[in-house]
Amino acid sequence: MKDIVVELLSERGVPLSEIAHLVLELQKPYHPGLTLDDCHSSVLAVLDKREVQHAILTGVALDVLAEQQVLPEPLCSIVARDAFLYGIDEILALGVTNIYGTIGLTNFGYLDKTKPGILRELNSHRERVHTFMDDLVAALAAAAASRLAHNRRQG
Ligand code: MG
C-alpha cells in the first residue's frame, strides 16, 4: 500500500523530494549536518505507518472527487473552494502530525503559516483541488522532521 500512496502523491504533483525539502527547511537550524537524503528517508519511514497511508488515501480521494464534481452538495462546493471554516482537512492531517508527539504540531503550524516550496504551489493551483493535499503534505513533512528530532535526541 505504501507504493500506491507514493504513486498517488506523485500523480497529484507532489514528488517525495519536495516533501524532503520541507523537512530539511524545518530541521536544518537544529541539525547542521542533516542531508536531503536523511530527510527523504525520514519521509519514507513516516509513510510506512498505516494511519498515515489511510489519511492520505482518504484526503486525496476527497480532493479528486471534488475536482470531478461528484461529491454530494453542499460538501462538493465546500471542498472545491477550500472554504475557510471547513477545517476537516486540518483535522485529518492532525492524525499524521501527532504520530511523533506534540513537536509535530509546532512544525505543522509553522509550515501552514509560511507555506514554503511545494505548499505555496499547491495553494495557488487553479484547476486542481488540493484542499486536503496541502495539509497532508505539511503534516507529512512535520512528522518526518519530528521523527528526526526525536532520533537525534536519543542518539
Ligand atoms: Mg487545506
Side-chain angles (χ1 to χ4, degrees):
M1 181 142 68
K2 183 180 176 181
D3 293 344
I4 296 176
V5 170
V6 171
E7 179 60 32
L8 187 60
L9 287 168
S10 142
E11 253 173 43
R12 299 291 295 169
V14 185
L16 293 192
S17 57
E18 292 289 346
I19 306 177
H21 273 109
L22 296 177
V23 178
L24 189 61
E25 161 135 1
L26 281 171
Q27 277 309 110
K28 215 170 25 185
Y30 316 103
H31 201 148
L34 191 69
T35 67
L36 196 57
D37 263 1
D38 300 330
C39 296
H40 198 271
S41 307
S42 192
V43 172
L44 283 172
V46 172
L47 285 170
D48 272 332
K49 303 243 175 203
R50 194 50 69 101
E51 62 262 53
V52 172
Q53 298 169 357
H54 286 165
I56 294 170
L57 290 175
T58 305
V60 173
L62 288 167
D63 278 349
V64 171
L65 293 173
E67 203 170 281
Q68 297 169 346
Q69 299 188 308
V70 293
L71 278 179
E73 289 297 355
L75 183 64
C76 196
S77 310
I78 292 171
V79 174
R81 70 169 191 272
D82 199 359
F84 183 59
L85 290 173
Y86 178 54
I88 309 300
D89 42 347
E90 281 92 2
I91 298 291
L92 184 70
L94 289 184
V96 176
T97 52
N98 287 344
I99 56 175
Y100 293 102
T102 46
I103 185 180
L105 204 57
T106 314
N107 284 334
F108 178 74
Y110 173 79
L111 290 177
D112 191 43
K113 246 198 156 60
T114 58
K115 298 205 191 309
I118 183 80
L119 293 176
R120 184 163 307 275
E121 272 176 54
L122 289 173
N123 263 281
S124 57
H125 216 287
R126 295 196 172 275
E127 290 92 49
R128 279 188 154 181
V129 173
H130 290 305
T131 297
F132 281 86
M133 183 62 103
D134 60 344
D135 298 286
L136 288 166
V137 169
L140 256 175
S146 310
R147 181 183 166 277
L148 288 168
H150 280 286
N151 288 353
R152 186 171 157 80
R153 215 156 289 162
Q154 282 156 13

